[in-house]
Amino acid sequence: MSAYKSDFLNILAERGFIHQVSEPDALDALAVKGPVTGYIGFDCTASSLHVGSLLPIMMLYWMQQSGHRPIALMGGGTTRVGDPSGKDESRRILTDEMINQNLAGIRTIFTKFLKFGSGPRDALMANNADWLNTLNYIDFLRDVGRHFSVNRMLSFDSVKLRLDRQQELSFLEFNYMVLQAYDFVELHKRTGCVLQMGGSDQWGNIVNGIELGRRMANAQLFALTSPLITTSSGAKMGKTAAGAIWLNAAMVRPYDYWQYWRNTEDGDVVRFLKLFTILPLSEIARLGALKGAEINEAKKVLATEATALVHGRDAAHEAAKTADTTFKQGGMGADLPTLQVKVGDGILEANTKLGFTASNSQARQQVTQGAVYLGETKITDPAYRLRAEDFDKDGRALLKFGNKKRAILQLASG
RNA sequence: GGGAGAGUGUCCCGAGCGGCAAAGGGGGCGGACUGUAAAUCCGCUGGCUAUGCCUUCGUAGGUUCGAGUCCUACCUCUCCCA
């Protein structure tokens, strides 16, 4: 199975990161010879990255671990244009302030996975706004644009899809692939970067860069894409009803992040352990051999390891502990969300304020259906009001909503 | 520029003779079963101080006791002709 000679490609292959590689043998040989510089571009469309972006981040991580130099490229310039790949509709145009704000939020995430610096194996952070924003249109057309064939561009999936469905593709978006290709060549010039990685939907864009590099700089560049990760039941990663699973602790609390991974489907556990934790493969194989209910142990490991990478080991253990006291012992873990209440407050309002339900009407329906427990007592009366005896000596009560949602009601003192 | 069609429940898709809080899916949430899994079955899926009241069908007007439904204008998208 280990068809490669380099650690870099072997690790990626064994852990399931590789979908397609251009000229794998040549890249492999290069990686054996010495440090390779490679990059992945990240959009600045939101103020944090979410679980969907974790995969490319992990590729950069392994790249550095196997002795190479990763570059995290912030798309400060390309986000102003908007990537049409895989999108049904035009992306709305973001203001420059928003982009810069988003960029700042995204930046911090990388410091948890990569060691930055100026040494030969230290990671670099770049921003394509640095070179794209100052481009001169005519010069750019003459230097770069002449290498692109519109006939060919029209044949790319990202473009064809839009045209076939007769959905508008603006000239602005049409240029995205040209800019991304130019990024690759520019990074090659600046840092000697020879590899661009990304999701499988980026293949066309990356190959464009490779060709542009050959024409403009006579360089041999490489592409490596990762498979699109969906759960066993076909859903895209990182989205729940509550919204995307962000990596920023302020947007998704570590406890919720832990829970996200804890609730992984059986069929995904091994795959996710390989992709989203840095546990050795032997350990993953051991966990993968667990059967039936024992798989829950593997899921806990997955949750804790994945959380530790993003939020640190302490936060991960805290989340694991809270989950244990809450679900195993029916107690109140420290990490649970807490709501200040008074005696006489309605049960519906409590659920809505905690975000368990979107409105009191919805809360009413769910209470009627038996979804809500106060401690061990099922509450089925929508008009129920909190009573003093519902709380323990410390003025706390455990509110359960459904199977998984838990919160602490804290009686206001005084 | 001319002709034809479309826009529906703030997640999506989609039915809707003038009586409509509006069929049916998907998704989501909840219940049962389990292992905080999947599959399956069942319930819910506009809001509220709730046997009632308020707000929803691209936007703004109009006809009508009553409009998602009919008329007018406008916006957006698609198709055909120029």
Side-chain angles (χ1 to χ4, degrees):
Chain A
M1 172 69 209
S2 70
Y4 299 110
K5 295 183 186 67
S6 64
D7 288 345
F8 172 52
L9 288 179
N10 271 330
I11 291 173
L12 288 191
E14 285 166 2
R15 288 190 167 256
F17 282 96
I18 297 181
H19 179 243
Q20 276 180 289
V21 192
S22 67
E23 304 182 76
D25 296 340
L27 179 60
D28 195 32
L30 209 61
V32 168
K33 216 161 36 171
V36 167
T37 302
Y39 87 102
I40 299 178
F42 294 87
D43 268 342
C44 305
T45 43
S47 61
S48 170
L49 295 174
H50 53 79
V51 167
S53 306
L54 211 49
L55 197 84
I57 296 176
M58 292 307 291
M59 290 203 280
L60 292 180
Y61 170 84
W62 288 117
M63 193 173 185
Q64 185 163 46
Q65 294 306 307
S66 57
H68 303 282
R69 182 169 67 156
I71 300 175
L73 176 68
M74 303 292 102
T78 32
T79 304
R80 299 177 72 192
V81 171
D83 182 5
S85 303
K87 306 278 183 317
D88 279 358
E89 293 165 8
S90 299
R91 192 177 272 171
R92 73 201 163 95
I93 299 212
L94 298 165
T95 65
D96 290 351
E97 296 89 86
M98 283 171 74
I99 291 174
N100 284 328
Q101 224 174 358
N102 292 342
L103 199 149
I106 288 169
R107 261 203 160 111
T108 61
I109 292 164
F110 289 94
T111 59
K112 299 186 173 148
F113 291 85
L114 303 175
K115 181 174 167 287
F116 289 94
S118 49
R121 292 182 185 183
D122 285 341
L124 296 177
M125 176 93 62
N127 180 354
N128 62 16
D130 290 350
W131 53 86
L132 294 181
N133 283 359
T134 55
L135 283 178
N136 176 297
Y137 192 54
I138 305 280
D139 288 344
F140 183 74
L141 289 180
R142 287 176 61 101
D143 295 342
V144 178
R146 70 194 170 96
H147 295 298
F148 282 84
S149 149
V150 171
N151 310 43
R152 256 204 94 209
M153 286 168 75
L154 290 176
S155 75
F156 281 105
D157 280 349
S158 58
V159 173
K160 220 167 65 183
L161 215 84
R162 285 279 195 92
L163 296 179
D164 285 351
R165 293 201 204 161
Q166 290 169 326
Q167 269 151 347
E168 161 157 308
L169 176 71
S170 70
F171 185 66
L172 176 76
E173 292 173 283
F174 188 59
N175 276 271
Y176 186 90
M177 63 169 84
V178 177
L179 295 177
Q180 184 171 339
Y182 179 71
D183 275 349
F184 199 172
V185 177
E186 186 67 28
L187 274 175
H188 173 69
K189 264 197 286 194
R190 291 179 175 223
T191 67
C193 173
V194 293
L195 171 66
Q196 181 181 176
M197 302 184 287
S200 53
D201 57 334
Q202 293 298 311
W203 180 257
N205 287 342
I206 298 175
V207 168
N208 267 326
I210 291 177
E211 285 181 15
L212 185 64
R214 182 161 56 231
R215 290 182 184 157
M216 285 181 73
N218 198 27
Q220 187 182 22
L221 306 178
F222 300 91
L224 192 161
T225 56
S226 58
L228 177 69
I229 304 294
T230 54
T231 65
S232 293
S233 43
K236 268 190 195 164
M237 285 285 295
K239 288 216 179 124
T240 67
I245 303 297
W246 301 103
L247 302 184
N248 187 323
M251 295 167 80
V252 171
R253 301 172 325 129
Y255 172 72
D256 291 325
Y257 191 78
W258 194 93
Q259 282 295 332
Y260 173 76
W261 293 106
R262 174 63 183 82
N263 287 303
T264 298
E265 296 169 28
D266 284 9
D268 294 328
V269 172
V270 169
R271 198 158 51 109
F272 286 1
L273 278 167
K274 285 187 190 169
L275 292 169
F276 301 114
T277 76
I278 55 176
L279 289 176
L281 291 172
S282 56
E283 174 68 3
I284 293 174
R286 186 186 71 77
L287 292 168
L290 296 174
K291 290 276 178 285
E294 292 180 332
I295 292 177
N296 283 328
E297 287 314 306
K299 290 184 186 178
K300 285 180 198 167
V301 174
L302 170 63
T304 301
E305 292 302 316
T307 306
L309 280 176
V310 177
H311 298 297
R313 187 136 311 261
D314 291 349
H317 280 309
E318 196 54 45
K321 218 177 85 192
T322 292
D324 190 67
T325 29
T326 308
F327 289 101
K328 259 228 168 103
Q329 305 160 28
M332 297 180 244
D335 265 11
L336 291 178
T338 303
L339 180 70
Q340 299 289 327
V341 294
K342 310 189 290 294
V343 168
D345 281 359
I347 192 77
L348 303 182
E349 285 77 6
N351 279 289
T352 304
K353 277 183 188 156
L354 282 161
F356 290 170
T357 49
S359 67
N360 287 349
S361 292
Q362 219 175 78
R364 180 187 309 273
Q365 284 161 353
Q366 300 289 18
V367 165
T368 310
Q369 289 185 50
V372 174
Y373 282 78
L374 197 55
E376 297 308 312
T377 318
K378 188 191 269 191
I379 306 289
T380 50
D381 176 16
Y384 187 86
R385 306 206 158 266
L386 299 175
R387 299 172 310 176
E389 54 265 43
D390 292 331
F391 298 87
D392 65 13
K393 300 160 217 52
D394 302 324
R396 287 144 53 92
L398 182 67
L399 180 72
K400 304 192 204 172
F401 180 88
N403 236 349
K404 294 172 191 167
K405 292 175 194 144
R406 302 288 127 106
I408 296 169
L409 299 182
Q410 174 73 54
L411 208 50
S413 52

